[in-house]
Amino acid sequence: MTLGGRKTISRRVVPAVALVGALAMTAACGGGGSADPAADDSATSGEITWWGWTPELGVGQQYIDAFNEEYPDITVTYKQVATADYDSAIRPALASDVGPDVFNIAPGGGIGSIQAYGDFAIDLSDAAEDALGADWESKLVSLGPEGLTDADGALKGLPLGSTFAGTLWINPDLFAEHGQTVPTTLDEWISTCEAFEAAGVTCFAHGAADNGFNQDLIHAIAESIEPGAWAAAVEGDGDWTDPTIVEAFTIYQEMFDNGIIGEGALGMQQYPDVNNQFISGGAAMVLMGTWYMQYSTVDGATAAVDASGVAGAEPFPIVAAEFPDMTGDGNPAPLFGDADYGLAVAAKSDYPEAATTFVTWLTTSEAAQQTVANALNDTPSLASITPGWDDIELVDADQQQDVLAELIERSNSVTDPRLGNVDTATGQAIGAAIQSVATKSQTPQEALETLASSVAGS
């Protein structure tokens, strides 16, 4: 999740809860320490800690339990840190003698970024080759390793899986109850929202205070207008004042007036506000990504509804829907993504061999990647793995399975990054432009001229 900087452009924002408590407890659990490994460190035994903003605690424990079936003598303790708190927690931890042995690292320049934390991690290139052979790169989904390799060519994290944005998720029960169909064009989106709002139902819930998801929305709009224009602007091969980008920002601004983005959106975050509203049945549509697949399962949907805190809410079969065609030109529905996160081995780990075993097993073994695929939290990093649908209990397989399978198949051919090509300065400038447009303090043209100037001067 997740999303400005990397997900400040935000990823999924998760509760600040953990299987272990405070930082001081980490030392007692065998947390990272000096650069000299512990005497009892080996590839098959040790006590290691793993810190990350994702996965959810239940999914993380599922991964650890599967790992321990093969490596029972390596104890792994997972600590989940809220996305918004991750940088402030991980930076001092990695510099200390009580930090984690394994930690999440992300492409791009935002939260948990390789730019900020790559120097704290060992190079995993040899470990990847040992696990998969000399052609290891060809066996992984290409977007993953690219975003986790530093400027010197060192692989600072192995991707567990990838996530892709650009899709709507709908509540089919609300659509059926109110006689509506999923919009396929901008005009249909407007009319659908008019119908829902007339019935007293929130049509499209959006956290406009969250610049990461604002960027996802504008990115999707731009891709619908002219595929590749957004990436060209981000990477410096195109102009931020290109007519496609101006049009995308204009459509976004108009959504606050045409009823697609409702009142109060500027005071809402995508997590937890919008997520809880949608999961509890309070909105017909939401912009999320493939990480939302986890809530299509009975267990995932039930846990999410319980976590929403809304009394009387019941799980429903969330269904992915293609982003509407903004211009009617028939361009492919947008989808863009990165490695959701990589697993890095801390350079100061007391148990680097045990930590490397955990990381490589989880990211490169068929057994582990099948567990990842079946959790429906990420699309697996190992390209040959697909979900085992017979082992997955969906809320409504008739409505969900084919749609999920098609979404995963589409994601395998995606080459458009979501955040992996956005450095910190650019991400901050994009966020400032988005807010100025949303609050109408600048026109889209003015905001993008300011954005272009900021990026050029950074």
Side-chain angles (χ1 to χ4, degrees), residues 22 57 82 107 120 133 171-172 179 199 240-241 245 265 307 313 345 353 368-369 385 408 457:
L57 289 175
F120 292 99
N171 181 331
W240 280 111
T241 54
I245 308 301
V345 175
E353 289 192 40
Q369 286 286 290
I385 302 297
I408 292 168

Side-chain angles (χ1 to χ4, degrees), residues 192-285:
T192 298
C193 283
E194 288 174 348
F196 274 120
E197 294 299 335
V201 177
T202 298
C203 175
F204 174 64
H206 181 69
D210 189 324
N211 281 330
F213 285 93
N214 286 330
Q215 178 173 318
D216 281 348
L217 180 54
I218 297 173
H219 188 168
I221 295 169
E223 282 297 296
S224 179
I225 299 168
E226 181 62 44
W230 181 267
V234 168
E235 294 168 7
D237 298 325
D239 296 327
W240 280 111
T241 54
D242 181 278
T244 294
I245 308 301
V246 175
E247 184 178 359
F249 271 73
T250 300
I251 291 173
Y252 170 74
Q253 188 179 63
E254 291 173 347
M255 285 178 164
F256 290 88
D257 298 322
N258 62 23
I260 292 178
I261 297 178
E263 293 183 9
L266 284 169
M268 297 180 70
Q269 293 283 344
Q270 200 78 349
Y271 286 89
D273 304 327
V274 167
N275 175 67
N276 288 346
Q277 181 183 13
F278 178 76
I279 286 296
S280 63
M285 284 180 280

Side-chain angles (χ1 to χ4, degrees), residues 92-114:
L94 290 174
S96 75
D97 289 336
V98 291
D101 302 279
V102 175
F103 64 97
N104 286 14
I105 195 167
I111 294 170
S113 77
I114 185 175

Side-chain angles (χ1 to χ4, degrees), residues 150-170:
D150 69 11
D152 296 325
L155 182 66
K156 290 308 181 94
L158 274 167
L160 184 82
S162 300
T163 56
F164 300 86
T167 52
L168 297 178
W169 289 82
I170 70 163

Side-chain angles (χ1 to χ4, degrees), residues 329-346:
D329 291 338
N331 289 323
L335 203 61
F336 37 89
D338 306 299
D340 184 14
Y341 59 98
L343 295 179
V345 175

Side-chain angles (χ1 to χ4, degrees), residues 377-393:
N377 186 57
D378 297 289
T379 60
S381 178
L382 203 58
S384 60
I385 302 297
T386 58
W389 296 112
D390 290 342
D391 299 320
I392 299 171
E393 186 181 6

Side-chain angles (χ1 to χ4, degrees), residues 35 37 44 50 74 127 133 163 167 187 223 257 294 300 306 344 347 405 412 450:
T44 58
W50 165 27
I74 297 179
T163 56
T167 52
D187 287 343
E223 282 297 296
D257 298 322
Q294 64 185 301
D306 290 346
N412 287 337
T450 301

